[in-house]
Amino acid sequence: MKKKNIYRKIREDLHISRDGVARKIVSIEDGKYSSLDYNRLVKIEDDSVRIFPDDVVALSKVYCKPELRNYYCCNECEIGKIDTPEVTFKDNIHEILVNMVVSLEAVNKKKSRLMEILVDGKIDSSEVEDFNQIQQELEKISITIEAISLWCEKMKNKNNE
């Protein structure tokens, strides 16, 4: 059996009809033309057309799921697949913040080593392993910052409902 399309799954989990989504998009767009209507949503959810970035933005607003944009960038955009780290979204801000503190502490412990590596503007063979470990910790910080940003946006949207 084919895996359910994420855009359809989210809509169904939220118990919103396709028609309801189309109406909400019109109200969000405040009368502006949107290419995402009922018929296009059917095709997106059935994987018969490729979703556009503007569609993802509109759906992320309607569903109050900013993490949907990250999903799109990581899984459907050719550039994003290369450059965008996937954020595992957590609703628990305490868990996100603990991850941030742990990653910051790991980098803080290695900041002297990072300065040693970078001082001459080259990374020699004896420095590669340490540099890669520091780079991984910096990537964790970046992902955690994105998770905090998504969480804040989600909370802001919930308060505006």
Side-chain angles (χ1 to χ4, degrees):
M1 187 173 170
K2 184 179 171 185
K3 184 178 172 189
K4 198 179 278 189
N5 171 298
I6 188 170
Y7 306 104
R8 181 177 183 168
K9 181 180 179 337
I10 289 172
R11 181 185 57 75
E12 289 177 351
D13 288 350
L14 294 171
H15 306 289
I16 304 173
S17 69
R18 287 176 174 151
D19 193 47
V21 171
R23 281 195 308 274
K24 284 186 176 193
I25 286 172
V26 169
S27 70
I28 287 172
E29 297 293 325
D30 196 25
K32 297 176 189 166
Y33 173 77
S34 174
S35 64
L36 184 55
D37 59 13
Y38 176 89
N39 294 323
R40 180 153 174 75
L41 183 59
V42 169
K43 292 175 182 175
I44 288 167
E45 289 184 355
D46 291 341
D47 290 321
S48 60
V49 297
R50 191 174 169 112
I51 191 165
F52 297 145
D54 290 347
D55 299 336
V56 177
V57 170
L59 290 175
S60 74
K61 289 177 183 177
V62 167
Y63 300 150
C64 207
K65 295 221 175 263
E67 64 271 24
L68 202 52
R69 297 189 312 266
N70 179 262
Y71 169 85
Y72 172 83
C73 290
C74 295
N75 295 283
E76 298 184 39
C77 170
E78 294 307 312
I79 295 171
K81 287 178 187 179
I82 298 167
D83 294 336
T84 304
E86 189 160 10
V87 175
T88 305
F89 189 79
K90 298 174 179 91
D91 281 328
N92 184 340
I93 189 63
H94 299 98
E95 186 178 345
I96 297 170
L97 293 174
V98 167
N99 288 336
M100 174 65 92
V101 170
V102 169
S103 293
L104 286 170
E105 188 59 33
V107 169
N108 192 39
K109 288 178 182 177
K110 296 179 181 180
K111 70 182 176 189
S112 294
R113 178 64 178 141
L114 180 60
M115 293 300 120
E116 290 170 10
I117 294 169
L118 299 177
V119 71
D120 62 359
K122 295 180 258 174
I123 302 171
D124 65 43
S125 59
S126 68
E127 299 169 328
V128 170
E129 187 176 331
D130 288 342
F131 183 78
N132 287 339
Q133 288 175 353
I134 294 167
Q135 187 179 20
Q136 287 173 352
E137 288 300 328
L138 292 170
E139 184 70 21
K140 287 179 189 176
I141 292 170
S142 175
I143 291 169
T144 305
I145 290 169
E146 183 63 21
I148 292 169
S149 179
L150 290 172
W151 184 88
C152 290
E153 184 177 341
K154 194 168 194 166
M155 292 303 106
K156 185 173 82 174
N157 291 340
K158 281 184 179 182
N159 289 333
N160 289 335
E161 288 181 347

